[in-house]
Amino acid sequence: MAVLFKYVDVGYVRSFITDNVAPIGDVEKVGLDEAYGRVVAVDVRVNEDVPPRELSHVDGFAVRVEDIGRVPARLRLSKGSSLGAGEAVPVRTGWPVPSGSNAVIPVESVRIDGGFVKVFYKPPRMYEVIPKGIDFRRGEVVVSRGAELMAQDVMVIASLGYEAVDVVRRPVVTVIPTGTEYVEGGGREFTSYLVCSVLRAYGALCRREQPVPDDVGLIARAVDEALRASDAVATLGGASIGNTDFTWRAVTSLRPAKYFRGVKMQPGKVTSAAIVKGKPVVLLPGLPESAFAGLTYVLLPVVRRLLGLPMDPKIRLGYGVIGRDSYVGGKYLPFMRTRFVKGVGEGDEGMPVVEVIESVSYMVSPMLRSLGFIEIPPHVGLLRRGEVVALYGIRGFLRV
């Protein structure tokens, strides 16, 4: 199979994933302590009205508005779950109001006079009464299938009396670094830690394998074995066409049904993907900034597709103003480019002033110093001072 690149744009990548990767159908039940961030598999519905009956909003006395004519009015002090004509029953905040009542007078607004309660104003109906079902109605869907559970969702589900919730099984992704230098040469492989950390932040279970030497057969065997225990596989390194770049040859030796070779983005242009035995295999570059791009625009969309979520993983952090002219053209001008930026001040209306961090792909310090990253459209070669740009981040990566 030919190894030359035929770059596709990011839009094609999304279509490729949609057409070839199906959401996981497996459902599991988890306790609410483990539910945060999981994807709901079945609509969560309310079993009864909330609150199930009318409640008092304050400490005070439940009354019938029609019993208060001229004020001050004297009502007989009574007790119990029902209210007769001319009576007032003491209630506490959150207590059910007695049947027959239609208002609550706060305790600080009355005076106790022997066996009577003196009321000094006539309230409107339902004054300081929490209506039945005002929060939720029976049968209402409070968290829909396909939603990622946030803290407020878990709280609401617990308030409804649930102790567990049905969620989509976490996708298992195996990450396989490649490179003889990591096996025999004493090199330090670290990009896989970045990839696995971000995958976990997006709800996947990541299996990080030990590096595999630059050998077609060994890489193919590692990928084949990983596919048996995973929903997706990602390789790291060896994705280009150099003398020791064997990953593409290894993956294609497994007879993929579909594939694409390269993406019109820089860095990360060698990122590729194939469908092998019905499962996605993503070939990521080994260098950190390039791997970050491939992770953001290919591997994370795969994971979100497996979870049944919208594929774009990016988080818009806001906007920034370019602080100085920056040349961003060069050989890959027709490609979409991403650049990390740092904050250098504050502009009008509190908008941060940012500058592109100059770097090369093997550097890791730009990631540590960055405020976020920007997308530069194809054929834009210069970012001008004062230009407003959107700032993006991804989970588990930026301190936002």
Side-chain angles (χ1 to χ4, degrees):
M1 182 175 288
V3 296
L4 296 178
F5 289 98
K6 186 177 181 180
Y7 299 107
V8 300
D9 59 34
V10 172
Y12 178 88
V13 172
R14 299 285 167 81
S15 298
F16 179 89
I17 295 170
T18 300
D19 292 342
N20 295 287
V21 179
I24 293 173
D26 300 339
V27 177
E28 60 186 14
K29 191 177 291 289
V30 299
L32 297 187
D33 282 332
E34 289 78 42
Y36 174 80
R38 300 299 297 271
V39 177
V40 176
V42 179
D43 288 346
V44 180
R45 294 180 180 273
V46 180
N47 293 323
E48 62 177 356
D49 290 346
V50 180
R53 59 178 301 179
E54 294 171 350
L55 305 177
S56 176
H57 191 236
V58 296
D59 292 345
F61 294 87
V63 301
R64 300 195 319 171
V65 172
E66 53 268 32
D67 290 337
I68 303 172
R70 303 175 67 179
V71 293
R74 295 175 78 241
L75 304 174
R76 291 188 305 277
L77 185 58
S78 181
K79 293 182 179 180
S81 59
S82 62
L83 185 73
E87 293 181 338
V89 173
V91 291
R92 301 290 298 274
T93 302
W95 281 14
V97 298
S99 60
S101 63
N102 54 22
V104 175
I105 307 293
V107 64
E108 61 269 21
S109 299
V110 305
R111 183 183 303 164
I112 305 300
D113 185 6
F116 292 88
V117 176
K118 185 176 285 189
V119 179
F120 296 93
Y121 61 88
K122 183 173 183 175
R125 288 180 179 274
M126 300 301 289
Y127 184 69
E128 299 292 13
V129 174
I130 301 172
K132 173 185 176 182
I134 190 174
D135 214 1
F136 300 111
R137 304 298 297 188
R138 180 181 178 183
E140 181 179 349
V141 175
V142 291
V143 185
S144 298
R145 175 179 178 273
E148 289 184 274
L149 285 169
M150 299 291 100
Q152 63 270 32
D153 300 321
V154 178
M155 174 193 69
V156 168
I157 293 170
S159 77
L160 299 176
Y162 291 95
E163 296 181 353
V165 62
D166 292 321
V167 297
V168 177
R169 174 179 62 80
R170 292 185 187 275
V172 178
V173 182
T174 298
V175 174
I176 305 172
T178 68
T180 301
E181 68 273 24
Y182 304 129
V183 180
E184 301 174 1
R188 186 175 298 158
E189 192 285 313
F190 47 82
T191 307
S192 62
Y193 290 92
L194 166 69
V195 173
C196 269
S197 295
V198 173
L199 287 173
R200 291 173 185 133
Y202 277 85
L205 295 175
C206 185
R207 298 172 62 244
R208 192 181 61 83
E209 299 289 352
Q210 293 301 309
V212 177
D214 293 315
D215 179 277
V216 173
L218 293 177
I219 296 171
R221 184 187 309 164
V223 172
D224 190 41
E225 291 177 355
L227 284 169
R228 299 172 193 171
S230 311
D231 299 292
V233 173
T235 61
L236 266 174
S240 191
I241 55 175
N243 292 333
T244 58
D245 291 319
F246 298 128
T247 306
W248 179 250
R249 287 171 56 189
V251 171
T252 55
S253 74
L254 298 174
R255 300 180 181 276
K258 300 283 184 66
Y259 64 88
F260 63 81
R261 186 74 168 109
V263 182
K264 292 179 182 177
M265 62 183 184
Q266 195 276 330
K269 65 184 182 298
V270 303
T271 303
S272 304
I275 304 300
V276 180
K277 299 181 179 179
K279 297 179 179 180
V281 177
V282 177
L283 290 74
L284 296 175
L287 295 175
E289 285 197 29
S290 298
F292 177 88
L295 174 66
T296 300
Y297 293 98
V298 183
L299 184 54
L300 286 179
V302 165
V303 169
R304 289 179 66 80
R305 173 66 175 170
L306 288 168
L307 286 167
L309 297 170
M311 283 189 285
D312 190 353
K314 301 192 305 298
I315 302 166
R316 178 170 288 183
L317 307 177
Y319 294 88
V321 179
I322 297 296
R324 62 181 176 85
D325 289 354
S326 297
Y327 175 70
V328 290
K331 181 179 179 181
Y332 297 103
L333 186 65
F335 287 15
M336 184 271 289
R337 286 140 295 146
T338 57
R339 295 290 185 270
F340 289 105
V341 296
K342 62 183 178 181
V344 295
E346 186 173 299
D348 296 339
E349 301 179 357
M351 190 178 295
V353 177
V354 299
E355 291 181 0
V356 172
I357 301 175
E358 302 297 336
S359 67
V360 291
S361 287
Y362 68 82
M363 294 175 62
V364 297
S365 59
M367 297 185 181
L368 198 63
R369 302 199 310 264
S370 70
L371 185 66
F373 66 91
I374 62 174
E375 295 181 333
I376 304 166
H379 304 291
V380 172
L382 180 66
L383 297 177
R384 296 189 179 278
R385 181 177 183 273
E387 185 175 342
V388 176
V389 292
L391 304 177
Y392 296 100
I394 61 174
R395 297 179 195 168
F397 182 79
L398 296 170
R399 295 179 176 91
V400 296

